[in-house]
Amino acid sequence: MNRVTKLLGTKYPIIQGAMQEVATAELAAAVSNGGGLGIIAAGGKTPQEVREEIKKARKLTKNPFAVNLMLMDRSTPGVVKVVIEEHVPVVTTGAGTPKNYMPDLKKAGIKVIPVIPNVKIAKKMEALGADAVIAEGMEGGGHIGELTSQVLWPQIADAISIPLIAAGGIGDGRGVVNAFVAGAEGVQCGTIFSISKESPVGDNWRKAVINANDASTVVVGHSIRDASRAIQNKKTEQLLQLENQKVSREEFNSSMNVGLKNAVKEDDSENGVLFSGEISGLISESKPAAEIVKTLIEEAKNIVDNKKIELF
Amino acid sequence: MNRVTKLLGTKYPIIQGAMQEVATAELAAAVSNGGGLGIIAAGGKTPQEVREEIKKARKLTKNPFAVNLMLMDRSTPGVVKVVIEEHVPVVTTGAGTPKNYMPDLKKAGIKVIPVIPNVKIAKKMEALGADAVIAEGMEGGGHIGELTSQVLWPQIADAISIPLIAAGGIGDGRGVVNAFVAGAEGVQCGTIFSISKESPVGDNWRKAVINANDASTVVVGHSIRDASRAIQNKKTEQLLQLENQKVSREEFNSSMNVGLKNAVKEDDSENGVLFSGEISGLISESKPAAEIVKTLIEEAKNIVDNKKIELF
């Protein structure tokens, strides 16, 4: 037990990242049943749809799970209301500051854990009353910041007193140990859960991640200050061309949204945007989410407990 | 002792990165006297200048040191000749493949250690007969690739049999331990040595790194496929503007070279390009190089030997 498992009420300090359209009730429940913290992604959903996902997850697990608030979504005020009414124990937040929702969430006893990209915002979130932060390096899939996990984690750990949960580039026990060495007390993984058995992604998406090597992802949207990482394919090439043509942010985002829809709904691995991290090259099979949680813990324990770290 | 200290003939598996104009005989000798491996950067130097640096370093230390070959420099064939004649025990190589020089270097008994940015090139270097590779994440200062240390190191460790030396984002004992957890047997650090007492950089450069926070560096040259990382200042803004104006590669490089000269020769921290890594935010003082080596080792040993890694 540590501060993160206490905070989350979980057996293990392992969190499944919130991935829009991918982090469904089924996936979240499977992770929570495995002793981690599953997360339902509210991004792109109406409050009523989020309520249905929460109810579905409740049927599938007795364990705690969380909801991720995509703060720039217009539906967020309604989603916050649902989360409070449904007594969801933990929310993580992305794409903005949870400041306006903090009083209501805290009053309802909900733990608030923002995803943050640098020291300045981590300190701001601590001052706002956040219960922990998730620091995500730019090797991660989906929307990313500028700092890498290797430099971000220790600098955040040194700067705050609330618990640090490390994300970005974790795909095996070595990554988990690195996070704890840096000063984290928990980890969040996205890519490895995105192709778990309980994930809604199709076979083509799964194959794209499994066949990926270390150099298979690419960052798009950097020039419009909305960088995100995905498997390199026909669609990411098109997006990079749009950037190169200096199209408007709206035009870029519109093309991006078509790509995201193509990925999950159509399982189109060429015309879809497959959000995945640089760690894809290390991930070679699709396993049940609970087994992923267990393996990450076992591998990490094996390194630490069996003195597998030989300096020289 | 491990495979890297055996290969290098050093007490510790700690290497000082080759930084053009910064990695001088004085700095290299100071690192080598501290039990690490100092490196003289041959980049931008004539063969005769490199020979003088080697002779100078020999006067300052009895311990082994290395020379880094900047392979795209026109002077490289001449520098290789000097390195062989002077019986330098180790060379590291950057900016290209050492293929053409490999037979002569190996015949002379010189260990060859290429700096590589991904798995494909690591395997290629192993096949060519490299004695080890240095895998550097894009959080590092100066010229960088696309992959971050957190994902690069374990994937390289899994892909090759020769020793892996980890670089990019290492500024304290936590970074050293992470490298070994990932599978490395040695580390290379640049930024922390760039502001050591024996480094030739001026006070303004030193202050810029010491005052840097986690978000103080920026990547320039990405669009011309020659990305490098430096402290964000007036000069990096100008370089980004040039990129934005889609100037030729030659024009960009010409402006870059003026900036590099301004940095080291003039100690101009606004009009100079101060190559530094994202770890700058963690580095808060200028210390003697030997003390840096000792501290990195002591901090790493303290984490590993005193069971400072608590999972949960």
Side-chain angles (χ1 to χ4, degrees):
Chain A
M1 214 158 145
N2 70 7
R3 292 199 295 170
V4 167
T5 57
K6 267 183 233 171
L7 189 67
L8 308 178
T10 56
K11 187 170 179 190
Y12 305 121
I14 296 203
I15 301 179
Q16 158 246 317
M19 303 164 280
Q20 195 165 330
E21 304 292 337
V22 174
T24 56
E26 287 83 357
L27 175 56
V31 173
S32 291
N33 280 332
L37 186 80
I39 297 190
I40 294 167
K45 287 193 164 53
T46 65
Q48 187 51 33
E49 284 168 343
V50 174
R51 194 187 300 274
E52 282 157 21
E53 285 290 290
I54 294 170
K55 285 183 186 298
K56 203 187 282 179
R58 281 262 155 75
K59 280 189 193 150
L60 296 169
T61 184
K62 301 269 174 238
N63 291 345
F65 57 84
V67 168
N68 174 263
L69 306 176
M70 183 72 147
L71 292 164
M72 62 181 181
D73 272 14
R74 281 189 212 151
S75 63
T76 300
V79 172
V80 168
K81 204 161 160 274
V82 165
V83 159
I84 291 171
E85 286 168 3
E86 296 292 336
H87 304 289
V88 171
V90 179
V91 301
T92 63
T93 69
T97 170
K99 189 176 175 180
N100 293 339
Y101 307 108
M102 206 63 133
D104 287 348
L105 290 167
K106 300 289 282 186
K107 201 177 151 197
I110 297 174
K111 310 298 182 194
V112 182
I113 309 180
V115 179
I116 55 92
N118 61 41
V119 168
K120 189 177 168 187
I121 298 178
K123 287 168 113 165
K124 203 181 273 184
M125 291 301 117
E126 180 173 40
L128 265 186
D131 295 280
V133 294
I134 298 169
E136 184 171 16
M138 60 81 75
E139 45 272 87
H143 296 278
I144 54 171
E146 296 281 336
L147 297 174
T148 74
S149 291
Q150 171 72 13
V151 302
L152 178 64
W153 299 342
Q155 294 188 72
I156 301 282
D158 289 350
I160 59 171
S161 302
I162 54 175
L164 163 63
I165 295 158
I170 302 173
D172 65 11
R174 290 174 289 189
V176 175
V177 173
N178 282 354
F180 281 79
V181 168
E185 293 169 68
V187 299
Q188 176 175 290
C189 304
T191 306
I192 195 168
F193 287 117
S194 75
I195 64 151
S196 65
K197 292 288 182 206
E198 296 86 353
S199 162
V201 310
D203 282 345
N204 292 328
W205 181 321
R206 253 171 251 272
K207 270 184 216 153
V209 174
I210 289 170
N211 294 336
N213 63 32
D214 59 317
S216 294
T217 71
V218 65
V219 176
V220 298
H222 196 272
S223 63
I224 59 157
R225 293 172 187 276
D226 189 9
S228 59
R229 182 182 300 283
I231 300 278
Q232 189 164 24
N233 61 10
K234 191 173 148 194
K235 181 68 193 180
T236 61
E237 287 308 302
Q238 283 170 358
L239 287 165
L240 288 173
Q241 270 171 30
L242 287 177
E243 277 190 79
N244 210 22
Q245 291 159 15
K246 299 192 187 293
V247 300
S248 69
R249 198 183 166 106
E250 288 66 33
E251 194 176 334
F252 180 87
N253 283 338
S254 158
S255 178
M256 170 65 94
N257 287 333
V258 170
L260 289 171
K261 204 179 153 191
N262 283 340
V264 185
K265 306 287 183 203
E266 313 292 335
D267 194 26
D268 187 335
S269 59
E270 276 307 318
N271 300 297
V273 175
L274 315 182
F275 276 166
S276 298
E278 282 190 345
I279 203 68
S280 298
L282 202 79
I283 298 171
S284 55
E285 53 176 331
S286 171
K287 298 193 289 186
E291 194 182 321
I292 293 170
V293 172
K294 200 179 149 203
T295 303
L296 287 171
I297 292 290
E298 283 177 355
E299 287 177 354
K301 277 187 174 289
N302 185 41
I303 293 169
V304 173
D305 296 343
N306 297 334
K307 299 189 180 170
K308 294 275 171 130
I309 310 169
E310 281 177 40
L311 283 177
F312 61 94
Chain B
M1 214 158 145
N2 70 8
R3 290 199 296 171
V4 167
T5 56
K6 264 182 236 172
L7 190 64
L8 308 179
T10 57
K11 187 169 178 191
Y12 305 123
I14 296 204
I15 301 179
Q16 159 247 317
M19 302 163 282
Q20 194 166 333
E21 303 293 337
V22 174
T24 56
E26 288 84 355
L27 176 56
V31 172
S32 290
N33 280 331
L37 185 80
I39 296 190
I40 294 166
K45 288 193 164 55
T46 64
Q48 187 51 32
E49 286 167 341
V50 174
R51 194 187 300 271
E52 282 157 22
E53 286 289 290
I54 294 169
K55 286 182 185 297
K56 203 188 282 179
R58 281 262 156 76
K59 282 188 192 149
L60 297 169
T61 184
K62 300 267 175 241
N63 292 343
F65 57 85
V67 168
N68 174 264
L69 306 176
M70 182 73 146
L71 293 165
M72 62 182 181
D73 274 13
R74 280 191 214 150
S75 63
T76 300
V79 172
V80 168
K81 205 161 158 274
V82 165
V83 158
I84 291 171
E85 286 167 4
E86 295 293 336
H87 305 290
V88 171
V90 179
V91 302
T92 63
T93 68
T97 171
K99 188 175 175 181
N100 293 339
Y101 307 108
M102 207 62 132
D104 287 347
L105 289 167
K106 302 286 283 185
K107 200 177 151 200
I110 297 174
K111 311 296 181 193
V112 182
I113 309 180
V115 179
I116 55 92
N118 60 41
V119 169
K120 189 177 167 187
I121 297 178
K123 287 167 111 165
K124 202 181 275 184
M125 291 303 118
E126 181 173 39
L128 264 187
D131 295 280
V133 294
I134 299 169
E136 184 171 16
M138 60 83 75
E139 45 271 88
H143 295 278
I144 54 172
E146 297 281 335
L147 297 174
T148 74
S149 291
Q150 171 72 14
V151 302
L152 178 64
W153 299 342
Q155 294 187 70
I156 301 281
D158 289 351
I160 59 171
S161 303
I162 54 175
L164 163 64
I165 295 158
I170 301 173
D172 66 10
R174 290 175 290 190
V176 175
V177 174
N178 282 353
F180 282 80
V181 167
E185 293 170 68
V187 299
Q188 177 175 290
C189 304
T191 306
I192 196 167
F193 287 117
S194 75
I195 64 152
S196 65
K197 292 289 182 206
E198 296 86 352
S199 162
V201 309
D203 283 345
N204 293 327
W205 181 323
R206 253 171 250 272
K207 273 184 213 152
V209 174
I210 288 169
N211 295 334
N213 63 31
D214 58 317
S216 294
T217 69
V218 64
V219 176
V220 297
H222 196 272
S223 63
I224 60 158
R225 293 173 187 272
D226 189 10
S228 58
R229 183 183 299 283
I231 301 278
Q232 188 163 26
N233 62 9
K234 192 173 148 194
K235 181 68 194 182
T236 60
E237 288 308 302
Q238 283 169 359
L239 287 166
L240 288 173
Q241 271 170 30
L242 287 178
E243 274 190 80
N244 211 23
Q245 290 159 16
K246 298 190 187 296
V247 301
S248 69
R249 198 185 165 104
E250 288 66 33
E251 194 176 334
F252 180 88
N253 284 338
S254 159
S255 178
M256 169 65 94
N257 286 334
V258 170
L260 289 172
K261 203 178 154 193
N262 284 339
V264 185
K265 306 285 183 204
E266 312 292 335
D267 194 26
D268 187 336
S269 58
E270 276 307 319
N271 300 300
V273 175
L274 315 181
F275 277 164
S276 299
E278 282 190 345
I279 203 66
S280 297
L282 201 79
I283 298 171
S284 56
E285 54 178 329
S286 171
K287 298 193 290 187
E291 194 182 324
I292 293 171
V293 172
K294 200 178 149 206
T295 304
L296 287 170
I297 291 290
E298 283 177 354
E299 286 177 356
K301 278 188 173 290
N302 185 40
I303 292 169
V304 173
D305 295 344
N306 298 334
K307 297 189 181 169
K308 294 274 171 134
I309 310 168
E310 282 176 39
L311 282 178
F312 61 95

